[in-house]
Amino acid sequence: MSENKKEIVLSGIRATGNLHLGNYFGALRKFVAIQDDYDCNFFVADYHALTTNPDPSQLHHNVKSVLAEYLAAGLDPEKSTIFVQSDVPEVAEMYLLLNMHVGIGELMRTAAFKDKARKALGLSQADDDNDEAFEKQIIGADTNKRVNAGLLTYPTLMAVDILIQKATKVPVGKDQLQHLELTRRFARRFNAFYGVDIFPEPTDFDFGGAPIKVPGLNGSGKMGKSEGNCVYLIDEPKALTKKVMRAVTDEGPQSPNAPMSEPIANLFTLLELCSTPDVVEHFRSAYADCSIRYGDLKKQLAEDILKITNPIRERINDILADEAYIAKILKNGAERARQRAADTLNEVRHIMGIRKF
Ligand code: TRP
């Protein structure tokens, strides 16, 4: 390897809906910042989205909108390889090959699988405290309430995304760390089984500092698609302002320097992310001396969020309207992503004994 070769970074996002402020601060903004220093690869995971059997036209639309949102937020196709997972068919073949070295037990034990399987079976969290009972439920599930095999092998597919590009740095959220751990295990296992050194073991990308947790507007927990508490990058100003104005608060500080309830602390966290330090300071001292009016805080917060999202939303809409531009970027991205994928797949086939006569 030549000395000036940049480290390979790869990350994907499932095409399951629009991107929100949590995605922006937690991922996109950081991706944008590292584009010059790493060999960056960012993709839209449409195969992964299929595990929950989405409506086909909805899936197609989601792929397009996530892509537009990536680009609008500042991912630069000149600097990074930006592509759609299914445009790299080598991934599908290597997924088949790698599955031969993956245990169904270790897949069944992953937290994300349990969670989704539980949902598919209509079980509550408490029902699978007992692993044995849970496994019985899965095996015994009738064909209408099945837990599909794609859900089970989700980690294999994710490992292939990473390993086929030989990525070493994979920025992911906390909920994906277990999948990354499995990826490392699969890489080690494959290398050891065949006595080769083809796969590096990828680690989470360390951006330094404390991880950013973006809270939602409903008073508790982080912003998440499934929580219904999101501010989306694509939200129109009026709707966005309305949402923020409706954010959960409390009855107000009852005494000077009172501790903050979670809903209020969350609003301050958002303010810290989106507003200037003097604005934050102003509302902090207003809270401390009990003169704060939450309506004013929310109005300011909505304005400052819009300063960030307005230009992004405009670019998203421009990009969505330009099919030719999207097609060109994807063609180029797929070509670049396929080069390395094809090389790795060839190596893997050869190593496993699938050879040309
Ligand atoms: N599973 C990831 C998520 O839901 C998305 C993903 C798929 C991914 N393949 C990947 C992330 C490879 C990083 C690398 O967020």
Side-chain angles (χ1 to χ4, degrees):
M1 211 199 288
S2 74
E3 285 194 337
N4 57 8
K5 248 201 173 152
K6 292 177 181 170
E7 259 194 288
I8 301 174
V9 169
L10 173 124
S11 194
I13 190 154
R14 254 177 320 141
T16 51
N18 288 117
L19 302 186
H20 50 70
L21 280 185
N23 301 124
Y24 178 72
F25 287 113
L28 281 175
R29 203 176 56 157
K30 297 176 180 173
F31 294 175
V32 170
I34 61 170
Q35 292 183 103
D36 286 318
D37 300 325
Y38 293 85
D39 175 341
C40 285
N41 301 264
F42 301 113
F43 70 98
V44 184
D46 55 348
Y47 284 150
H48 276 114
L50 283 176
T51 53
T52 47
N53 305 138
D55 173 76
S57 58
Q58 190 64 44
L59 175 62
H60 184 75
H61 170 81
N62 283 342
V63 170
K64 192 175 153 188
S65 58
V66 169
L67 184 82
E69 287 163 343
Y70 262 15
L71 296 167
L75 291 189
D76 180 351
E78 302 283 321
K79 296 178 181 170
S80 299
T81 300
I82 298 168
F83 63 102
V84 175
Q85 186 180 34
S86 63
D87 279 340
V88 184
E90 288 80 6
V91 163
E93 184 176 343
M94 189 166 137
Y95 164 69
L96 180 151
L97 296 172
L98 187 64
N99 259 332
M100 306 306 168
H101 289 279
V102 172
I104 54 176
E106 58 192 341
L107 293 175
M108 282 181 80
R109 286 191 298 273
T110 61
F113 172 73
K114 285 184 158 189
D115 207 45
K116 287 187 183 151
R118 207 188 294 125
K119 283 204 182 105
L121 293 172
L123 303 176
S124 68
Q125 177 109 38
D127 291 332
D128 74 286
D129 275 354
N130 177 341
D131 273 352
E132 226 175 291
F134 181 55
E135 279 158 32
K136 275 208 184 111
Q137 297 252 33
I138 291 180
I139 292 170
D142 69 51
T143 46
N144 294 321
K145 262 194 182 175
R146 67 200 171 274
V147 175
N148 75 57
L151 216 45
L152 182 67
T153 54
Y154 188 111
T156 313
L157 183 57
M158 179 160 161
V160 168
D161 291 330
I162 297 166
L163 299 178
I164 207 166
Q165 300 293 342
K166 301 195 178 178
T168 52
K169 291 267 178 274
V170 181
V172 286
K174 232 170 102 190
D175 61 330
Q176 297 295 315
L177 287 176
Q178 195 180 23
H179 290 155
L180 197 54
E181 183 65 49
L182 282 173
T183 303
R184 281 196 289 277
R185 197 199 289 167
F186 299 160
R188 262 196 312 274
R189 184 182 292 162
F190 190 96
N191 287 343
F193 186 90
Y194 294 104
V196 293
D197 188 19
I198 147 168
F199 296 128
E201 285 185 39
T203 53
D204 186 20
F205 194 104
D206 182 3
F207 289 97
I212 295 173
K213 213 171 117 192
V214 182
L217 296 174
N218 59 341
S220 75
K222 66 173 197 172
M223 195 175 281
K225 271 186 277 224
S226 46
E227 314 302 325
N229 62 2
C230 295
V231 175
Y232 291 99
L233 298 177
I234 193 83
D235 279 344
E236 292 293 333
K238 249 192 170 157
L240 188 150
T241 305
K242 210 162 144 190
K243 256 188 204 177
V244 174
M245 295 308 290
R246 283 194 187 149
V248 174
T249 54
D250 60 16
E251 71 282 11
Q254 304 297 307
S255 60
N257 301 309
M260 269 182 208
S261 66
E262 193 185 353
I264 304 307
N266 285 352
L267 288 180
F268 272 95
T269 303
L270 287 170
L271 204 64
E272 263 162 12
L273 286 167
C274 304
S275 303
T276 54
D278 54 309
V279 167
V280 179
E281 194 37 50
H282 165 76
F283 285 104
R284 277 208 190 281
S285 54
Y287 183 88
D289 68 17
C290 302
S291 68
I292 193 164
R293 290 200 314 210
Y294 290 147
D296 294 347
L297 184 155
K298 293 196 224 178
K299 195 159 161 267
Q300 179 75 46
L301 176 60
E303 269 172 35
D304 291 336
I305 291 176
L306 282 167
K307 278 189 200 137
I308 298 170
T309 61
N310 274 339
I312 298 179
R313 185 186 63 255
E314 279 160 25
R315 282 196 297 271
I316 294 173
N317 289 328
D318 287 348
I319 294 166
L320 286 176
D322 194 345
E323 298 269 351
Y325 175 70
I326 293 178
K328 195 181 105 201
I329 297 213
L330 288 187
K331 182 165 175 279
N332 193 268
E335 262 166 32
R336 279 156 65 177
R338 285 191 74 177
Q339 273 169 18
R340 201 148 42 199
D343 287 347
T344 308
L345 178 61
N346 271 335
E347 277 182 279
V348 169
R349 286 176 61 118
H350 188 84
I351 288 166
M352 293 180 77
I354 308 283
R355 299 177 193 156
K356 292 261 178 314
F357 284 96

